[in-house]
Amino acid sequence: MPQPTISVDIGNPTIESRDLSVWYARNQAIRRVGLKVPRHQVTAIIGPSGCGKSTYLRAINRMNDTILSCRTEGQLFVDGEDVYGPNVDPVILRRKAGLIFQKPNPFPKSVYKNIAFGVQLHYRASEKELDEVVESALRQANLWDEVKDRLDDNALGLSGGQQQRLCIARALAIEPEIMLMDEPCSALDPVATAKIEDLIFELKKDMTIVIVTHNMQQAARVAEYTAFMYLGRLVEFSRTRDLFERPHEELTENYITGRFG
Amino acid sequence: MTTKAEQRKALERGLRKLNENMITLAELSELAIRKAVDGLARLDEDVAHEVFTLDQEVYALQIEIERTCIDLLALHAPVARDLRTITTSLKITTDLDRIARYAKDIGEITLQFGGARPDEPLGFMHLREMADHTIRMVDTATEAFVHRDAESVRNIIEVDDTVDRLHDEIFQDIVQRMTDRTLDVQTGARYILVNRYLERIADHAVNIGMRVVYMVTAEWLPRVRAADRSKDQERET
């Protein structure tokens, strides 16, 4: 199997996979991917549909576990702990690594309850504490000013961009260390996209972000590092500017210049 | 909505047009300097006027290429080799334009002689050698661009050092001849200018060569400005 080009050495990674493979029934979606995700930086994963990028993202917080036929091999470390090892509670893992989906998926409840719900699941909080957490999370997600007078309104009444930021606020409320984003802007217009990208820029000060995106300009804008995957393999991992200016692999070059995919 | 394949096709059309224009521009600039030197050697005013026309053509084409590059950058957000091709073209059009401009300056000196060289053309014999080196450098650099050949220009800086040495020798020679009055001052001054123009053209050829290496390999050669290099040499001696 061809070895990927890894052109940067990442010390003290937040996430590290070694020979990670994932199967859906007999179909191998990820082939022995070894990748170190740098701490408190944004790493983008790009590649054509079906390359395994979303599967890789979901492997990080074991969201693939919910798919019955899914099988994982190899190792994946979060902060040095093998998340597929024994005695790992996926619920606690997911508290550490929040996942944002392509389509905003708020609960059909009030703005306030959307955030409070997750917090109450993990912590016992007084009403006052809860108010504080809700406000703080909404502020962090740059949504507070837009919804502070509509906290009791149904979240489904918000715009698409606001819903997505609400989902980010919901994830932030339980103070994750890692934010996994699966094409978080693909359903949003350019203005809403810019707001999410601004938010990513602020969030990375305190957390590690992995973003899967189809939009290569977005990867170039928000990510310090970029991984290119193809047919389940990691092909190249570099600093984003290097990957887009001087890709090492012909495959990477052909993909990012739009020759296929 | 256009598909990715259609977008790629549109970008490729633009890149093809850019490449064709760049090749023409390189040919015109090289022709301009060849003609300028030839015109000066024979004091042929018609040839000098041809150089002026070439310079205008180069300028107009340079503007068109710049516009094409800006359109391609704005519309396609190119990356990798595409990006390097466009930014390199954008940079070296300026070098090619400067080369044509110096060719024009040499043409003007041809006109200043008014068809008669008042002195023996010995000074010019050295200049001929200088001009041959310079033209060869321009040719190497533009050929490297056309054929996307990084290897042929890797040592272009060393060739330029030869040109720089020749430039200094010729300068000293002309000054010496003017001092001992075997060369009249007006002619000597014109030769000094031509000598200088050729040396500058060679520097632009170096720029083009280094940009071609970047375009093809994404590698930045260690770049020392010619002026700084000559300063360093002065310090060493």
Side-chain angles (χ1 to χ4, degrees), chain B residues 142-205:
Chain B
T142 54
E143 284 292 304
F145 176 83
V146 172
H147 299 293
R148 305 294 196 258
D149 173 11
E151 293 316 306
S152 65
V153 279
R154 275 191 190 274
N155 66 342
I156 197 163
I157 283 201
E158 286 141 43
V159 184
D160 188 47
D161 288 340
T162 309
V163 168
D164 286 345
R165 260 197 311 279
L166 254 177
H167 169 263
D168 294 345
E169 282 169 27
I170 292 169
F171 179 81
Q172 292 300 337
D173 184 40
I174 295 170
V175 169
Q176 185 59 49
R177 282 160 193 269
M178 291 194 299
T179 311
D180 59 26
R181 293 171 193 269
T182 53
L183 184 68
D184 84 281
V185 171
Q186 205 170 38
T187 307
R190 286 173 188 156
Y191 286 166
I192 283 175
L193 283 175
V194 172
N195 191 28
R196 172 77 177 147
Y197 297 153
L198 291 170
E199 186 266 330
R200 297 297 304 132
I201 289 171
D203 278 350
H204 286 292

Side-chain angles (χ1 to χ4, degrees), chain A residues 48 214 216-217 243-247 250 252-261, chain B residues 4-5 8 11-12 15 76-84 214 217-220:
Chain A
H214 262 305
M216 274 173 289
Q217 271 88 53
L243 190 113
F244 284 105
E245 189 188 344
R246 56 191 79 195
E250 186 90 25
T252 315
E253 168 115 20
N254 287 344
Y255 177 69
I256 63 175
T257 54
R259 287 185 172 85
F260 75 86
Chain B
K4 214 170 170 186
R8 179 69 218 170
L11 173 59
E12 265 167 15
L15 286 170
H76 299 280
V79 293
R81 191 178 298 260
D82 300 335
L83 175 70
R84 300 200 304 269
Y214 168 72
T217 67
E219 174 190 353
W220 285 100

Side-chain angles (χ1 to χ4, degrees), chain B residues 12-27:
Chain B
E12 265 167 15
R13 264 199 305 278
L15 286 170
R16 250 197 318 276
K17 180 185 166 201
L18 172 64
N19 197 44
E20 284 162 12
N21 280 342
M22 283 300 295
I23 290 172
T24 309
L25 184 73
E27 282 169 352

Side-chain angles (χ1 to χ4, degrees), chain B residues 11-64:
Chain B
L11 173 59
E12 265 167 15
R13 264 199 305 278
L15 286 170
R16 250 197 318 276
K17 180 185 166 201
L18 172 64
N19 197 44
E20 284 162 12
N21 280 342
M22 283 300 295
I23 290 172
T24 309
L25 184 73
E27 282 169 352
L28 290 176
S29 291
E30 191 177 330
L31 187 61
I33 180 60
R34 280 185 192 278
K35 275 187 183 283
V37 169
D38 179 50
L40 180 63
R42 297 191 286 113
L43 292 185
D44 187 330
E45 294 189 356
D46 290 341
V47 175
H49 283 290
E50 283 173 33
V51 175
F52 299 159
T53 311
L54 280 172
D55 174 52
Q56 282 172 354
E57 283 176 33
V58 165
Y59 179 72
L61 189 54
Q62 185 215 1
I63 301 289
E64 191 187 328

